Amino acid sequence: MLRTISTYILYLLFFIVISSCASQKKILQNAQNAFENGEYFAALEFYERLLENEKSRAGQAQYHYIIAECYRLTNNPRRAEVFYRRVINTRRSREKMLYFWYGHVLLQNGKISDALAAFETYKQQNPNDSRVNNAILSCSLAVVWKDNPTRYDVELIRAINSRDHDFAPAYASGDFSTIYFTSSRPRANENPKVNPITGTNYTDIYEIRNDRRGRWTDAILISDTVLQSSFDIGTPAFNASRTEIYFTRCDQEFAKNFGCGIFHAQLRAGGWSDLKRLEIVPDSISIGHPSLSADGLTLYFAARMEGGYGGSDIWKVTRESSTSSWGRPENLGSEINTPGDELFPYIREDGTLFFSSDYHPGMGGLDIFRAVKNNVGEWIISNMQYPINSHQDDFGIVFQGSKEIGLFSSNRLRGQDNIFSFELPELQILAQGKMIDASTNRPLAEGEVTLIGSDGTIQTTQTRIDGSYQFRLQQYTDYIIVGSYEGFLRNKVQLTTNNVSDNITFERNLELITINKPIEIPNIFYESGQWTLNDDSKKALAVLLKLLEDNPNITIELGAHTDMIGDEQANMILSRRRAQAIVDYLKEHNYDPQRFVAKGYGESQPVVITEETAKLDTAFVVGISLTPEFIRTLPAETQELANQINRRTEIRILSTNYIPRPEYFFRNRNSMSASR
């Protein structure tokens, strides 16, 4: 009897083991089928069940890796990071892409230094894989762009978003007050159906409006049956008049994926009708994310198909007229498309293309890029940077016509897709300064300041009581600011806003030279007892050259002064030679010598202490002349300073009615032509 019971138990255990093995094989088969079919959420459940019963370390590492992949492909980088780390900790995995995808999710999770270390490890193991170079660059760019954000203001639109995924907005009215968007929120009074690919509810197209007071209505499901499906439907796009809609619809069956197609409907009698699937690719190919050009003749979309560059690419089809058939798909080329995924194209009215990519250098996940064609038809790609982009997925951007205002999608908050608004505030470019008497540094009130722009604009203002002025400037413009005041020579300054990309204020003072007083030319130096101009002195004379160009009708006296050291007659000769050296320098620059008089004053005209000069030393008294007698009463260090002040070169305006020679007009005309 005992033997019979023992035999029975052995048979029972045998059948349990056999049954268990058969069950595990079935689960494994279901897991593999689901994964191969792209149903990563469904596959995840199967693989987690298999992991529970796996005893070997090698088998566990294998399941940890495939589970990490499922989490990554269902856009859950936080859980993916956990399982990739478990694989690494076992030190048993030979998966080639392990450290690459581990670095990828670390970057998405904002762990930049850890991501960089993972990418460096992958590069050591796979030095010929070019993808890793972009990934390493992305780690550096993410830090720089986060620390130096662009001027875009980004804000979560709480009225649109729900607890579920909301993304891919589109403006459904010409005044941009009506928005269609995609959402996985469950339909009212219906049990939600979960997508085995993503693990979220199937998506629908919703509508929301913004009234004149800026208040949002409640979001509602589009009631037209042509815009409804039992499976995923969304990413709407419109023609310019909002009378046609293009959108993506995906059909599925268990263990089958029929793919996604682009559908088209027309607005008739207030509702959408005439639903058609665009026959632009074979039915076996999945496409989506439509965007229509302003003229309605070019349709951009994303697809994985033969002729691409690896992952999903941006393609386009064209037609001759709005009633013509679409032509053959054309890939946008390697400037746009990469071995990674390029998705969600959006074409603006001016032909600028926006799209999202996980391969071009970015901040992590999908980044939004701008593409503009240059003069030879090549696409120039630029990242929209932070705060438009983040470490997570950023995609589905749309604009309000030509304005730098619009919407985009991002899962930067808790990994959930939300819709954000963005706006680029008006660029604040200012030019301001003061009009100053160059001889006294005092402000000149009620002076005239004129702004002349290369775009043809001319503005004139008067200086305030403190001599200040201000103008608002435009981007990509060259400007001349001219200051005028009675009894003074005009002065002008130049600036350009061609390279300006952020708020900036140009500080430009206008120092005007009085006609009635001599003005010192600063920084004119000579060797002791010499009159030859050195290189520093020649650079300082640029101020004088500019004065002559700005005021072609003046003649001037160039007066050189020495200190009290040395023979008085010798100082007179030396100062005359120094003044003549400046005149000779001006001749070399093709200025008419009839405009200049060289005068040497030696030590005969010492400086009279002004308020500015008095600030240099407490021994200086306003109104006192720096004569030899006064200087000898000063301390030794102050004596040297006084002598230095007396050694100077000054200009005095002699007349303002000189008629320039023809060469001046030719030179000025050529200069203006070169600046254009």
Side-chain angles (χ1 to χ4, degrees):
M1 182 68 178
L2 183 60
R3 182 176 180 182
T4 304
I5 295 174
S6 299
T7 304
Y8 173 78
I9 293 173
L10 287 174
Y11 275 116
L12 181 62
L13 291 174
F14 174 77
F15 282 113
I16 290 173
V17 170
I18 294 296
S19 177
S20 176
C21 290
S23 177
Q24 288 289 96
K25 287 183 178 180
K26 184 176 181 181
I27 294 173
L28 178 61
Q29 186 63 52
N30 289 338
Q32 292 172 339
N33 289 341
F35 191 90
E36 291 172 2
N37 198 44
E39 297 176 351
Y40 305 116
F41 181 76
L44 181 60
E45 182 180 356
F46 289 127
Y47 281 117
E48 287 179 333
R49 288 170 60 186
L50 290 167
L51 177 62
E52 291 177 358
N53 297 311
E54 181 60 47
K55 304 302 181 184
S56 72
R57 295 287 298 277
Q60 289 174 354
Q62 182 179 358
Y63 286 135
H64 283 152
Y65 181 78
I66 197 68
I67 289 171
E69 287 286 272
C70 289
Y71 277 123
R72 177 178 67 84
L73 293 167
T74 54
N75 208 14
N76 191 337
R78 297 191 184 281
R79 291 294 295 164
E81 176 189 340
V82 171
F83 280 88
Y84 283 130
R85 190 185 305 115
R86 289 178 182 176
V87 179
I88 292 171
N89 290 340
T90 64
R91 299 181 181 180
R92 291 174 177 267
S93 176
R94 296 183 179 180
E95 295 290 347
K96 177 182 177 181
M97 299 298 295
L98 172 60
Y99 279 95
F100 182 83
W101 293 126
Y102 183 48
H104 182 80
V105 297
L106 284 168
L107 185 57
Q108 282 187 283
N109 293 336
K111 299 179 179 180
I112 299 176
S113 59
D114 292 340
L116 180 60
F119 289 135
E120 292 287 2
T121 300
Y122 179 80
K123 186 174 183 178
Q124 292 175 3
Q125 297 173 349
N126 305 275
N128 296 324
D129 191 338
S130 61
R131 290 177 297 181
V132 73
N133 295 325
N134 274 4
I136 291 172
L137 177 59
S138 293
C139 292
S140 299
L141 294 176
V143 174
V144 173
W145 290 339
K146 193 73 176 289
D147 292 342
N148 300 276
T150 65
R151 294 189 307 108
Y152 281 102
D153 291 332
V154 170
E155 183 178 354
L156 176 71
I157 308 180
R158 299 187 181 279
I160 295 180
N161 296 298
S162 66
R163 296 180 179 179
D164 295 278
H165 293 276
D166 304 288
F167 59 97
Y171 289 108
S173 62
D175 62 359
F176 311 109
S177 64
T178 303
I179 297 170
Y180 279 19
F181 65 97
T182 308
S183 180
S184 66
R185 65 188 69 183
R187 296 183 185 180
N189 303 319
E190 290 187 22
N191 293 324
K193 297 179 181 178
V194 176
N195 187 329
I197 297 175
T198 63
T200 65
N201 302 330
Y202 283 106
T203 58
D204 291 298
I205 298 177
Y206 282 75
E207 176 184 354
I208 192 170
R209 299 176 184 268
N210 194 290
D211 63 23
R212 294 180 180 179
R213 297 182 180 180
R215 296 177 302 190
W216 293 98
T217 63
D218 292 334
I220 59 173
L221 177 71
I222 298 295
S223 58
D224 300 72
T225 56
V226 297
L227 300 187
Q228 293 183 1
S229 171
S230 298
F231 301 100
D232 280 329
I233 185 171
T235 60
F238 296 88
N239 65 343
S241 61
R242 273 71 176 185
T243 57
E244 299 178 36
I245 186 172
Y246 296 80
F247 58 93
T248 308
R249 195 178 84 184
C250 306
D251 296 324
Q252 296 175 0
E253 283 186 13
F254 179 73
K256 294 181 181 179
N257 187 354
F258 293 116
C260 303
I262 295 177
F263 288 74
H264 168 261
Q266 298 206 11
L267 187 64
R268 301 186 188 280
W272 296 106
S273 60
D274 300 334
L275 180 67
K276 294 180 181 178
R277 179 172 179 147
L278 300 188
E279 303 298 333
I280 54 179
V281 297
D283 290 342
S284 59
I285 296 175
S286 185
I287 65 173
H289 308 166
S291 180
L292 191 68
S293 62
D295 61 8
L297 302 182
T298 305
L299 181 71
Y300 296 83
F301 60 93
R304 296 172 182 264
M305 56 184 178
E306 187 178 353
Y309 290 85
S312 175
D313 283 2
I314 308 298
W315 300 72
K316 70 176 182 179
V317 288
T318 59
R319 58 185 178 183
E320 294 295 327
S321 68
S322 59
T323 58
S324 302
S325 299
W326 294 105
R328 295 175 61 86
E330 178 183 345
N331 190 287
L332 264 60
S334 59
E335 294 157 352
I336 299 288
N337 296 309
T338 69
D341 285 332
E342 280 68 52
L343 305 161
F344 294 94
Y346 175 78
I347 189 73
R348 291 194 73 175
E349 297 173 349
D350 62 359
T352 303
L353 178 69
F354 293 81
F355 64 95
S356 288
S357 173
D358 63 3
Y359 186 90
H360 289 286
M363 296 186 67
L366 289 171
D367 272 23
I368 300 174
F369 292 83
R370 177 193 289 112
V372 181
K373 284 191 175 181
N374 62 14
N375 295 333
V376 294
E378 298 171 331
W379 289 106
I380 306 301
I381 313 299
S382 59
N383 189 294
M384 291 288 285
Q385 301 182 23
Y386 183 80
I388 294 292
N389 288 319
S390 67
H391 295 307
Q392 297 282 349
D393 288 336
D394 306 287
F395 57 98
I397 195 168
V398 292
F399 289 80
Q400 291 187 8
S402 60
K403 298 179 181 179
E404 286 296 311
I405 302 173
L407 307 167
F408 71 98
S409 314
S410 177
N411 69 340
R412 64 186 66 183
L413 301 178
R414 301 178 301 278
Q416 178 175 298
D417 292 333
N418 291 126
I419 294 174
F420 293 76
S421 67
F422 69 88
E423 180 175 359
L424 186 65
E426 183 180 357
L427 200 61
Q428 296 289 327
I429 310 177
L430 302 176
Q432 65 183 30
K434 289 186 176 182
M435 184 181 289
I436 299 171
D437 182 339
S439 62
T440 64
N441 280 331
R442 292 181 177 177
L444 298 173
E446 298 184 357
E448 184 177 278
V449 185
T450 301
L451 178 76
I452 304 170
S454 59
D455 58 355
T457 59
I458 297 178
Q459 303 178 50
T460 300
T461 188
Q462 282 193 326
T463 57
R464 304 180 185 93
I465 192 169
D466 62 349
S468 64
Y469 74 90
Q470 186 181 83
F471 291 107
R472 185 181 295 275
L473 310 180
Q474 299 297 321
Q475 254 183 315
Y476 313 118
T477 308
D478 299 325
Y479 289 100
I480 297 174
I481 302 174
V482 182
S484 305
Y485 200 89
E486 186 176 354
F488 289 78
L489 298 179
R490 291 190 311 163
N491 190 13
K492 68 181 180 182
V493 294
Q494 294 178 296
L495 59 89
T496 181
T497 61
N498 283 336
N499 297 318
V500 172
S501 59
D502 205 346
N503 295 337
I504 188 172
T505 297
F506 293 94
E507 296 286 347
R508 297 290 188 272
N509 286 342
L510 296 166
E511 297 186 6
L512 271 56
I513 295 177
T514 178
I515 296 174
N516 302 318
K517 297 179 183 179
I519 300 296
E520 181 181 354
I521 306 175
N523 302 318
I524 303 296
F525 303 111
Y526 305 90
E527 297 296 331
S528 178
Q530 300 296 315
W531 56 87
T532 303
L533 291 168
N534 60 26
D535 290 339
D536 289 336
S537 297
K538 290 178 180 179
K539 291 178 182 178
L541 285 172
V543 176
L544 179 56
L545 296 176
K546 182 177 182 299
L547 174 69
L548 295 170
E549 285 295 319
D550 293 347
N551 299 272
N553 301 107
I554 65 171
T555 61
I556 62 174
E557 175 193 280
L558 287 156
H561 301 260
T562 67
D563 54 32
M564 67 180 190
I565 301 172
D567 180 73
E568 183 176 348
Q569 185 176 359
N571 282 340
M572 186 67 71
I573 295 172
L574 177 62
S575 63
R576 190 181 303 121
R577 288 175 175 172
R578 287 178 172 176
Q580 187 60 45
I582 296 176
V583 171
D584 293 341
Y585 178 79
L586 296 174
K587 287 181 183 178
E588 293 174 6
H589 284 73
N590 299 316
Y591 287 95
D592 185 357
Q594 295 182 16
R595 298 182 67 184
F596 315 115
V597 173
K599 189 72 178 282
Y601 289 94
E603 58 186 87
S604 65
Q605 294 187 1
V607 168
V608 177
I609 300 296
T610 64
E611 291 180 358
E612 288 296 317
T613 311
K615 296 176 182 178
L616 300 176
D617 197 286
T618 56
F620 292 158
V621 180
V622 175
I624 297 296
S625 296
L626 295 177
T627 61
E629 294 76 18
F630 177 73
I631 292 175
R632 290 189 186 98
T633 67
L634 300 173
E637 292 182 359
T638 307
Q639 285 188 27
E640 174 52 34
L641 176 59
N643 285 326
Q644 181 182 336
I645 293 171
N646 274 333
R647 294 192 298 267
R648 66 196 188 278
T649 302
E650 296 177 333
I651 60 173
R652 185 192 301 273
I653 309 302
L654 299 177
S655 70
T656 58
N657 56 7
Y658 171 79
I659 300 176
R661 295 189 303 187
E663 295 93 301
Y664 168 79
F665 297 102
F666 285 116
R667 183 170 67 247
N668 194 47
R669 183 180 64 182
N670 293 337
S671 176
M672 292 179 64
S673 298
S675 65
R676 290 196 178 107

